[in-house]
Amino acid sequence: MQDKLPIAIVSDLACPWCFIGKARLETALANHGLTERVAITWLPYELNPEMPEEGMDRTAYLDAKFGPGKRREIELRLSEAALESGVTFNWAAVKKSVNTRMAHMLVAAASTVQRGSEMKAALFKAYWQDGRDIGDLDTLVAIAGEQGYDERAARDELANDELRETVIGLEAHAQRVGVTGVPFFIVDGKLAVSGAQTPDVWAKVFAQVLSGAA
């Protein structure tokens, strides 16, 4: 396999399983010595496209979606899954469910200079571990600055209608091809893997892909 193996990842930054799925994939890649041999493309998906731009209280959102009093049960299950993946969630800090449209735009902008994965990691950490409002323009600009980007340029990108339409178009395409939940992985352009699969499942995927390449 001389060329890098392409892996497209459809995910949402407000999706805790996407954070876990990213960590599990990275563990599997490291276990197989493939970290430097893959080319990852991040594709946007909004679990809550109708979320108000200002977001909403997270407990109220989860109560409305799953039923009253379910937040603790949901977070406990996620924490257990995260623990074996090397991921930690700071639930007390996550006060708000956010609109992720602009955050996806920031990842898309970073991807144009091959830094999409770094930005994705920074935004996951900002939201799930630091409790920052990644639906807020000023917060996103600050995060971009922390990642070494010019803040004025980042602000311009987040106001770029063409970039916004690109993100919307990519989300619509994912739905057209049948993506109904995230994370969703497309390996080598032909093998679909749905959900935050564990490293042992990824081992079988890599074996299948690499045997086919050979």
Side-chain angles (χ1 to χ4, degrees):
M1 186 176 67
Q2 294 181 342
D3 297 327
K4 289 195 173 186
L5 176 69
I7 302 178
I9 307 175
V10 186
S11 72
D12 191 4
L13 287 149
C15 162
W17 284 107
C18 292
F19 193 15
I20 293 171
K22 174 179 178 293
R24 288 176 171 177
L25 172 61
E26 289 168 348
T27 296
L29 290 170
N31 289 347
H32 291 80
L34 294 172
T35 303
E36 301 302 322
R37 297 174 65 192
V38 298
I40 292 177
T41 301
W42 293 97
L43 298 175
Y45 192 93
E46 291 181 65
L47 286 171
N48 314 300
E50 304 305 316
M51 178 68 67
E53 287 188 10
E54 68 276 13
M56 64 182 293
D57 177 80
R58 182 157 176 80
T59 298
Y61 168 74
L62 291 175
D63 283 352
K65 186 172 182 178
F66 298 108
K70 290 290 187 180
R71 176 171 180 169
R72 181 170 175 78
E73 179 185 330
I74 292 166
E75 291 174 350
L76 180 61
R77 184 162 57 93
L78 284 162
S79 291
E80 290 172 349
L83 192 62
E84 51 91 67
S85 305
V87 169
T88 57
F89 290 98
N90 183 1
W91 300 117
V94 186
K95 305 292 188 185
K96 184 184 285 189
S97 287
V98 295
N99 181 304
T100 55
R101 176 69 54 79
M102 283 196 299
H104 285 304
M105 291 171 64
L106 194 56
V107 173
S111 296
T112 64
V113 289
Q114 287 72 55
R115 292 192 59 200
S117 289
E118 289 91 338
M119 186 61 75
K120 194 83 174 186
L123 289 166
F124 270 133
K125 177 182 182 298
Y127 184 57
W128 291 112
Q129 296 178 333
D130 302 335
R132 297 168 76 178
D133 182 358
I134 61 168
D136 175 69
L137 174 61
D138 291 337
T139 300
L140 291 172
V141 169
I143 291 169
E146 292 158 14
Q147 293 302 303
Y149 293 92
D150 179 80
E151 291 193 9
R152 184 181 297 273
R155 192 175 293 274
D156 288 344
E157 290 283 21
L158 292 172
N160 185 324
D161 288 338
E162 186 176 337
L163 181 59
R164 182 180 297 273
E165 290 304 315
T166 296
V167 167
I168 292 171
L170 288 169
E171 291 176 352
H173 177 72
Q175 292 180 335
R176 282 197 303 272
V177 299
V179 178
T180 57
V182 287
F184 190 88
F185 306 81
I186 304 166
V187 184
D188 202 21
K190 53 183 179 284
L191 187 60
V193 179
S194 180
Q197 299 298 338
T198 54
D200 60 320
V201 172
W202 278 113
K204 297 173 184 176
V205 172
F206 297 149
Q208 182 177 340
V209 172
L210 297 178
S211 65

